[in-house]
Amino acid sequence: MDIGVLMGIAFGLHVRNLELYVYAFEKFRFPTSLCNSESLETLKLSDAILVDVPSPICLKSLRTLHLHGVVYKDDESVSNLLSGCVSLENLVVHRFQQSDVNTFTIAVPSLQRLTLTSENDDEDSIYVINAPSLKYLEFQGVLDDNTFVIKNSPELVEASLRDIFDVFGHPNISVFENILRSLTSVKRLSLEILAPSKIKFPTGSIFFQLVYLELDTYEPMWWNVLMLMLDSSPNLQVLKLIRKSWRREDPEAYMKWNKPKYVPKCLLLHLETLVWKNYQGEIEDEKEVAKYILTNASRLKKATFSNAYIRPETSRQRLKELRSVVMASNSCKLVFKGHR
């Protein structure tokens, strides 16, 4: 009751920024009477809050909305809340409890940035995104098959996909591939690959607009995805590779890399920057991939390799090995950063 009184005073004073974090066993029902504010620009709700919106609302000035771990009464509460935010540009949703909503619909014509995290999904929960003005999308978490639908996002320019698992905690390859099919128009793409040897997409699909690609992986068998993406991104200019695991790996665990028959167009004509973080230089195939890029990237301006877990003398040795490669670009600056 005290929270409600304080919020009533704030709204009476035309509050523009409201952050409400509730830590209690009993859910606090967010007052729908306050969901028709003309002044509110930023609203952040977290934890033990019940979003119960039985009818459409109007938050015409709201630009930023964060929903962190809140509970929704039903599907309609989600739709009524978001549809009333006619000026919403930035939406962050972090879900812990999925059983409260069957279809989480994000239909916001003005939305430009969407960050969606889904955790502990023990039941089917479908996400439907209809945001024609969306420019940035980030998703990570738990999804079952056919539960993520992007209906209309023609202006999407940047996307990030990370940690996509199924309900059993296994990497969900089919969902990852389905989402990726909706992102062929992006200019910047960041992917965290959890099971690279199983991914067959994007064969047959072309990322014509892609100029920046970041690949993160914990797994050793990632050459498959790298070469597929290079072959499917003819205008790529920046390539960033991040090997998350710093421990020494068993060479036998790595999938054998087969040199492609044709050099990807992006290497021949467009790639200018290569960043390879946690480069080990011990696995033969890893060295072969590095050499392949350096010997074919004719427009490369700078190649930076790094590993913070190796000694200075090893760093110098790695740099010497890389410099021994006959590079296609005469103007490329080659750098290796090790432990300081």
Side-chain angles (χ1 to χ4, degrees):
M1 183 175 66
D2 293 338
I3 296 176
V5 172
L6 291 173
M7 289 175 55
I9 294 173
F11 276 85
L13 295 172
H14 308 291
V15 64
R16 289 185 294 177
N17 185 349
L18 175 63
E19 299 184 21
L20 178 61
Y21 302 81
V22 179
Y23 303 98
F25 290 106
E26 184 178 353
K27 302 296 182 184
F28 172 76
R29 187 185 299 268
F30 189 81
T32 54
S33 60
L34 302 180
C35 289
N36 291 289
S37 169
E38 295 185 359
S39 62
L40 194 62
E41 298 175 0
T42 298
L43 176 61
K44 298 181 180 181
L45 304 179
S46 182
D47 297 290
I49 297 176
L50 174 62
V51 177
D52 181 5
V53 186
S55 58
I57 62 168
C58 182
L59 291 170
K60 65 178 184 179
S61 298
L62 195 68
R63 299 286 194 278
T64 298
L65 175 61
H66 289 202
L67 301 169
H68 183 87
V70 303
V71 177
Y72 309 90
K73 183 177 184 296
D74 47 30
D75 295 16
E76 288 69 28
S77 291
V78 175
S79 298
N80 288 334
L81 172 63
L82 296 180
S83 63
C85 304
V86 294
S87 301
L88 189 64
E89 297 177 352
N90 181 21
L91 175 62
V92 177
V93 177
H94 194 157
R95 297 187 66 200
F96 297 109
Q97 180 178 339
Q98 311 297 79
S99 57
D100 51 357
V101 175
N102 293 321
T103 302
F104 199 103
T105 303
I106 301 174
V108 185
S110 60
L111 190 64
Q112 296 186 23
R113 294 181 63 89
L114 172 61
T115 302
L116 179 58
T117 303
S118 173
E119 297 187 34
N120 300 326
D121 192 352
D122 56 358
E123 297 184 19
D124 290 345
S125 188
I126 301 174
Y127 294 91
V128 178
I129 300 174
N130 189 348
S133 300
L134 191 65
K135 294 179 172 58
Y136 174 85
L137 170 66
E138 179 179 347
F139 179 84
Q140 63 177 355
V142 181
L143 283 178
D144 207 350
D145 291 347
N146 303 316
T147 57
F148 195 95
V149 180
I150 301 177
K151 281 191 173 181
N152 182 23
S153 297
E155 297 187 16
L156 193 62
V157 296
E158 184 172 355
S160 175
L161 303 180
R162 300 182 181 279
D163 294 333
I164 298 181
F165 294 91
D166 61 20
V167 295
F168 302 106
H170 304 137
N172 199 326
I173 303 304
S174 61
V175 170
F176 183 89
E177 293 174 350
N178 287 337
I179 298 176
L180 205 56
R181 288 188 178 93
S182 304
L183 304 178
T184 53
S185 64
V186 299
K187 294 183 179 180
R188 297 175 61 90
L189 182 60
S190 297
L191 304 175
E192 186 169 86
I193 312 298
L194 297 173
S197 63
K198 298 180 181 179
I199 294 180
K200 295 181 175 57
F201 185 79
T203 302
S205 298
I206 305 297
F207 295 79
F208 284 110
Q209 307 298 323
L210 194 65
V211 295
Y212 176 97
L213 174 63
E214 177 180 317
L215 288 180
D216 297 16
T217 182
Y218 291 90
E219 298 294 327
M221 298 179 289
W222 57 272
W223 332 120
N224 175 40
V225 176
L226 172 62
M227 299 316 298
L228 283 173
M229 288 302 301
L230 289 181
D231 197 46
S232 303
S233 309
N235 297 304
L236 190 67
Q237 297 177 18
V238 179
L239 175 62
K240 186 174 183 179
L241 305 174
I242 302 177
R243 180 78 171 89
K244 288 295 183 68
S245 176
W246 55 267
R247 65 183 184 276
R248 293 173 64 94
E249 299 285 357
D250 179 7
E252 298 300 323
Y254 281 73
M255 179 179 63
K256 182 66 178 178
W257 180 68
N258 295 316
K259 184 177 179 180
K261 294 182 179 180
Y262 306 100
V263 179
K265 183 179 178 181
C266 64
L267 294 184
L268 294 173
L269 300 178
H270 298 289
L271 190 69
E272 297 181 352
T273 303
L274 170 64
V275 176
W276 194 324
K277 188 176 180 180
N278 290 336
Y279 175 81
Q280 295 179 346
E282 295 179 345
I283 307 301
E284 189 62 31
D285 285 349
E286 183 185 41
K287 293 192 288 186
E288 288 301 315
V289 172
K291 291 179 181 178
Y292 180 81
I293 295 175
L294 294 175
T295 55
N296 289 288
S298 59
R299 301 294 180 88
L300 198 62
K301 295 180 179 179
K302 186 174 183 179
T304 304
F305 296 79
S306 66
N307 192 324
Y309 304 100
I310 62 177
R311 297 179 179 277
E313 56 269 24
T314 306
S315 297
R316 290 190 290 270
Q317 178 61 31
R318 295 289 178 267
L319 181 60
K320 182 179 179 181
E321 293 171 355
L322 292 169
R323 282 179 172 170
S324 67
V325 177
V326 179
M327 294 189 291
S329 174
N330 295 326
S331 59
C332 178
K333 181 180 179 181
L334 188 60
V335 178
F336 194 101
K337 299 179 180 179
H339 178 72
R340 293 184 179 181

